[in-house]
Amino acid sequence: MEKLRKSLTGFVVPLLSILLAFVIGAIIMAAMGSNPATALGALFQGAFGTAASVGTTLNKAVPLIFTSLCACFAYKCGVFNLGGEGQFLFGATAAFCTVHCLGLTGFPGMLAAMLVGTLAGGVWGMIPGILKITRGLNEMIISIMLNYVATLFMGVIYTNWIRDVTVPQTPSIDGSLKLSRVIPSMRFTWAFVIALLVGVLLYYFLYWTAPGFKLRAVGLNMTASRFDGFPVNRYILISFIVSGAIAGLGGASDLLGTQYRLINGYGAGYGFDGVAMALIGQLHPLATIVVAIFFAALRVGSTSMQVATGVPTSVSDIIQALVIVFSVAGMALTKLPEFEAFRLRVFQKKGKEGQKA
């Protein structure tokens, strides 16, 4: 019963946060002289109105899903991996360099790019893990700094080493390496399917396997886990490696499915967006996927909203920010002892009323 109550609270808080964010967004739209119902209708029409727009939304969700799952897995072990963006970019960079420098094409090239991208992301994620368990350094600072290193390393590649003539970008990958669409009439590729499979596998590992249970136990209480004989440092390191590998696979998949080349600004903000979405999804892999698709819909639909009603896309950004703020604040509120006492009183009162009836 207690587990059901906590699950219900975890579902209600994000839902109320989304509703409240949309209410405030509607007020802003009305203050700008636009009809909120028309504007929001245009937003969702732009994201889900046609098969092509649905495909665009799902395609836009791919990098968000991978980086949010990256954060979700690390947080489940009680560590804070804020380097999802760097691991994503390092995976994409390694995947591109592999197929470009070795001249790989076709399915073998796709497979090699994804394997190398996954490995590169895992190695990049392993660095803050090793520094944490051996030197006791703060993993948040290290992982954030590594984001800049990965971004600058990618910049050296597309501006100097593998530059496409005079344009500051790399050449496009070979056409045979590009992931095809799952449904020809829709724009999403097999990268989205890979992202879904990763999410399902993470859910199965975390909630249906013994190692997954131990990893979550370490995340809940490292001290108690040490006394129970769990190899805590090993689980911390594994969580960083797997977390980075997920982001690296995301970078390789997005490169092959959507981006096709390295260019200035690629991947900017994906890592911190992923952290926010993982928190809104209550660190549950499947819920995190739903949240990532929702945010992708807001970003895709905001353009249609601006064209149809004149409401700027920044209003959509405000709604996204409000969802994050309200969700994090709501989760913090539910952790307070006063809220726990209030929740218990409410459920006990309902239980007594049910017995009387």
Side-chain angles (χ1 to χ4, degrees):
M1 182 61 70
E2 182 63 23
K3 184 177 180 180
L4 177 62
R5 293 171 185 170
K6 290 184 178 180
S7 299
L8 183 61
T9 302
F11 174 77
V12 170
V13 169
L15 182 61
L16 289 177
S17 301
I18 292 171
L19 292 176
L20 186 57
F22 272 106
V23 169
I24 296 177
I27 294 172
I28 295 174
M29 294 173 190
M32 297 174 65
S34 300
N35 186 325
T38 303
L40 291 176
L43 187 149
F44 285 102
Q45 180 70 19
F48 300 111
T50 64
S53 60
V54 171
T56 302
T57 298
L58 298 182
N59 222 29
K60 188 75 172 178
V62 169
L64 302 178
I65 292 174
F66 276 109
T67 53
S68 58
L69 290 176
C70 160
C72 179
F73 189 84
Y75 285 20
K76 277 295 183 182
C77 192
V79 293
F80 302 95
N81 180 11
L82 300 181
E85 181 178 317
Q87 293 145 20
F88 179 92
L89 292 178
F90 202 65
T93 302
F96 175 83
C97 292
T98 298
V99 296
H100 179 82
C101 296
L102 299 181
L104 301 177
T105 58
F107 181 75
M110 290 183 188
L111 188 60
M114 290 189 180
L115 289 176
V116 171
T118 304
L119 180 62
V123 170
W124 209 244
M126 180 176 64
I127 297 173
I130 291 178
L131 293 176
K132 179 178 177 63
I133 64 176
T134 59
R135 308 298 299 174
L137 299 182
N138 188 300
E139 73 272 20
M140 291 187 287
I141 297 175
I142 301 299
S143 57
I144 289 175
M145 297 305 294
L146 287 174
N147 288 339
Y148 294 102
V149 176
T151 302
L152 294 173
F153 178 70
M154 181 182 70
V156 171
I157 290 176
Y158 68 71
T159 56
N160 290 285
W161 296 350
I162 315 178
R163 182 167 177 162
D164 188 10
V165 195
T166 59
V167 182
Q169 64 183 28
T170 63
S172 176
I173 60 174
D174 187 81
S176 63
L177 293 169
K178 297 178 181 179
L179 294 174
S180 61
R181 296 181 180 182
V182 179
I183 302 174
S185 61
M186 303 178 76
R187 296 173 182 171
F188 74 100
T189 66
W190 285 98
F192 179 75
V193 178
I194 295 172
L196 290 183
L197 289 176
V198 171
V200 172
L201 288 175
L202 284 187
Y203 168 73
Y204 176 78
F205 172 79
L206 289 171
Y207 294 96
W208 293 95
T209 67
F213 170 79
K214 292 179 180 179
L215 186 142
R216 288 188 291 120
V218 171
L220 290 171
N221 194 320
M222 290 188 183
T223 303
S225 298
R226 280 195 176 92
F227 278 105
D228 283 339
F230 290 3
V232 172
N233 285 346
R234 185 192 305 170
Y235 277 107
I236 290 175
L237 183 58
I238 289 174
S239 70
F240 271 107
I241 294 174
V242 174
S243 177
I246 293 169
L249 175 60
S253 300
D254 191 60
L255 177 80
L256 301 181
T258 305
Q259 188 65 27
Y260 307 137
R261 68 177 78 233
L262 304 179
I263 192 171
N264 183 39
Y266 174 50
Y270 284 159
F272 291 108
D273 288 343
V275 171
M277 293 169 198
L279 293 175
I280 295 172
Q282 304 286 299
L283 303 182
H284 191 290
L286 302 184
T288 296
I289 291 175
V290 175
V291 173
I293 294 174
F294 168 74
F295 271 76
L298 289 178
R299 297 178 182 188
V300 172
S302 61
T303 304
S304 298
M305 179 180 68
Q306 182 175 19
V307 172
T309 64
V311 176
T313 56
S314 57
V315 175
S316 174
D317 296 334
I318 292 173
I319 293 175
Q320 295 176 54
L322 289 174
V323 171
I324 295 171
V325 171
F326 291 146
S327 295
V328 174
M331 286 185 287
L333 178 64
T334 58
K335 301 297 182 183
L336 294 175
E338 293 83 359
F339 180 85
E340 287 290 327
F342 171 75
R343 184 171 60 85
L344 289 174
R345 286 199 303 270
V346 170
F347 278 102
Q348 288 173 358
K349 184 178 179 180
K350 287 184 177 181
K352 291 179 180 177
E353 290 177 353
Q355 291 177 356
K356 290 180 180 179

